[in-house]
Every structure is written in C-alpha cells, then in structure tokens.
Amino acid sequence: MIFENSQDTFEINLPENIKKVGMKISGGADSAITCYMLAKYCKEERPDITIYPITGIAEGKAYQEIFAKRVLSKIEELLDYKFGPHTAEDVRADENYSDDQNIVVEGAYNKYGLDIHFAGITANPYPHEAPELFDVPEGWLPSDDRSKSPNKKSHPEGRSIRPLINVDKRGVKEHYENLGVLDTLFPVTRSCEEYTEDFSKHCGWCWFCMERKWGFGKL
C-alpha cells in the first residue's frame, strides 16, 4: 500500500512471515497518522497481522497514555479494526528517557513475540522554511537528530520502521488530508509538551505547539 505526499512516498508491504507488529504511539499527530496508515494496510491487505501498540509514559506527561488510547479508539472506530494488547509503561524524563523507551519496546517484543515495530518519528522543517520556529531560546530547540537528511532511511538496520523520517509537519498534514482523517483523527491528538494537568487545550508556546500550528495552521 503506497502513501504519497509532496515530500516523500512510502510503501507498506511487509513480508509474509511478519505477523506481529509493534506500533509506538504517543498520542501525538505524527504517531497517530503512522498508526492509521499501518492499521489501514493491515485491515485491507494483511488481516493476518496483529498490531500491538506501545506507549512510554514520561514522568509528568500522563496525557501520553490518555491521548494514545483516544487515538487507538478513534482508529478502531474509523477503520472497524481491532488492535492487539496495548503496552503502556512509565519511563523517566531525564537522560534515561531513550534507554527507558527502548526497554519498554523490548519488553513488548519479549512478551508478544513481535517481529518488527513502527515509529512515527518525523523531521524538522528546514530553518529557512520556518524561521519563526528557530527564533527561540536555545534550550527550546529540538535535537538535531530530527533534521532532514538523505542518509536517513525509513527502515534502517534493526527492527524499526519509520515511514515519516524525512517528512515535516506540513507533509504530515498532507497525509491526514489524503487519507480523509484531518477532521476526525487529528482533533483527538496532542502534541504539546508543557507540564500540566489541564489537557483540554495546547499551551501554544512550546516548540511542539508552534511546529503543530506551522504545519496544520491550527492546534
């Protein structure tokens, strides 16, 4: 199944021996559309595959599990699809964050016998395309590992598949539009990284909110 936008083309065509696929889901717009693409492919072309959602819940970010579950529920409703068991575990929000995320993923592999997993990692826009996003204090800038690069592959060595690795938020919006879920799936996602107990709205000022507004024209 081919998914196209103006920035990239990605085809999901998994080998016949792949039966159990993990899906890292945070509740954000990027992982949500990646999950939708994967579920659509499995529903229409590979009903023999089971998708196992995986969520690492960072300290102080309880919304990640809340919105991940909302996203999964909405995709099940839209596609008449059923996901496998959802792994949701706490991870530290400090320098151990990446390692803890990997531990959660590895735990899902061991528990369910996963073959591969998908992740909704996307790219930053180029600074000249969105100068307003880069005119912020240095501590607010995202890490360089999200920069676009022809050397980044959607399926590198290992078990992780990253369909949107060189697609920025405007490209993500195109996928929502092309798949007809901009008004249904996007509203149940959350990209805000502010530490808060009020999940009814986005803060509007963190990098991820500004990037979301730049890409979608709204929060």
Side-chain angles (χ1 to χ4, degrees), residues 109 115-116 155-161:
Y109 267 88
D115 299 305
I116 57 171
H155 193 174
E157 292 183 12
R159 303 171 296 183
S160 175
I161 298 179

Side-chain angles (χ1 to χ4, degrees), residues 12-21 41 46 48-49 115-116 118 155 161:
I12 302 180
N13 184 21
L14 299 176
E16 287 298 317
N17 64 310
I18 299 295
K19 304 293 185 182
K20 296 182 177 182
V21 179
Y41 165 74
R46 289 293 304 278
D48 58 315
I49 291 177
D115 299 305
I116 57 171
F118 279 61
H155 193 174
I161 298 179

Side-chain angles (χ1 to χ4, degrees), residues 118-189:
F118 279 61
I121 302 171
T122 58
N124 297 327
Y126 292 113
H128 70 270
E129 295 174 329
E132 67 274 24
L133 296 184
F134 293 87
D135 186 23
V136 295
E138 183 175 351
W140 286 15
L141 290 171
S143 59
D144 291 337
D145 62 3
R146 286 187 61 205
S147 300
K148 293 181 181 179
S149 169
N151 295 322
K152 288 184 176 180
K153 306 300 181 183
S154 60
H155 193 174
E157 292 183 12
R159 303 171 296 183
S160 175
I161 298 179
R162 311 168 300 175
L164 307 179
I165 193 64
N166 278 312
V167 175
D168 63 36
K169 274 292 191 295
R170 289 188 174 173
V172 172
K173 180 188 178 185
E174 287 183 47
H175 279 310
Y176 273 89
E177 292 174 328
N178 294 342
L179 292 166
V181 293
L182 183 61
D183 296 327
T184 52
L185 181 58
F186 177 72
V188 303
T189 67

Side-chain angles (χ1 to χ4, degrees), residues 3-217:
F3 300 91
E4 295 182 271
N5 63 20
S6 63
Q7 298 180 14
D8 200 7
T9 299
F10 184 80
E11 181 179 10
I12 302 180
N13 184 21
L14 299 176
E16 287 298 317
N17 64 310
I18 299 295
K19 304 293 185 182
K20 296 182 177 182
V21 179
M23 177 67 230
K24 290 195 69 179
I25 185 84
S26 66
D30 303 337
S31 64
I33 197 63
T34 304
C35 186
Y36 184 88
M37 292 158 63
L38 177 60
K40 180 176 176 65
Y41 165 74
C42 292
K43 169 74 175 182
E44 297 180 11
E45 297 189 10
R46 289 293 304 278
D48 58 315
I49 291 177
T50 300
I51 302 172
Y52 295 81
I54 306 168
T55 303
I57 311 160
E59 293 171 311
K61 299 180 181 179
Y63 63 82
Q64 291 178 325
E65 182 177 11
I66 294 169
F67 281 82
K69 287 182 176 179
R70 291 181 185 179
V71 165
L72 294 170
S73 177
K74 178 58 69 172
I75 293 174
E76 288 186 331
E77 172 192 329
L78 293 171
L79 292 175
D80 187 24
Y81 180 81
K82 184 65 177 177
F83 291 102
H86 181 192
T87 297
E89 297 183 9
D90 294 333
V91 299
R92 290 168 288 185
D94 54 17
E95 67 274 6
N96 297 292
Y97 178 76
S98 294
D99 289 340
D100 283 3
Q101 287 278 5
N102 291 335
I103 290 171
V104 173
V105 172
E106 192 63 31
Y109 267 88
N110 293 334
K111 184 173 183 179
Y112 299 113
L114 304 184
D115 299 305
I116 57 171
H117 74 276
F118 279 61
I121 302 171
T122 58
N124 297 327
Y126 292 113
H128 70 270
E129 295 174 329
E132 67 274 24
L133 296 184
F134 293 87
D135 186 23
V136 295
E138 183 175 351
W140 286 15
L141 290 171
S143 59
D144 291 337
D145 62 3
R146 286 187 61 205
S147 300
K148 293 181 181 179
S149 169
N151 295 322
K152 288 184 176 180
K153 306 300 181 183
S154 60
H155 193 174
E157 292 183 12
R159 303 171 296 183
S160 175
I161 298 179
R162 311 168 300 175
L164 307 179
I165 193 64
N166 278 312
V167 175
D168 63 36
K169 274 292 191 295
R170 289 188 174 173
V172 172
K173 180 188 178 185
E174 287 183 47
H175 279 310
Y176 273 89
E177 292 174 328
N178 294 342
L179 292 166
V181 293
L182 183 61
D183 296 327
T184 52
L185 181 58
F186 177 72
V188 303
T189 67
R190 179 181 177 84
S191 301
C192 183
E193 290 286 316
E194 182 189 26
Y195 286 86
T196 178
E197 295 299 322
D198 179 8
F199 307 144
S200 64
K201 61 183 184 298
H202 285 69
C203 74
W205 57 263
C206 73
W207 162 274
F208 298 96
C209 277
M210 293 191 296
E211 181 194 29
R212 182 179 173 108
K213 190 170 184 179
W214 173 83
F216 287 86

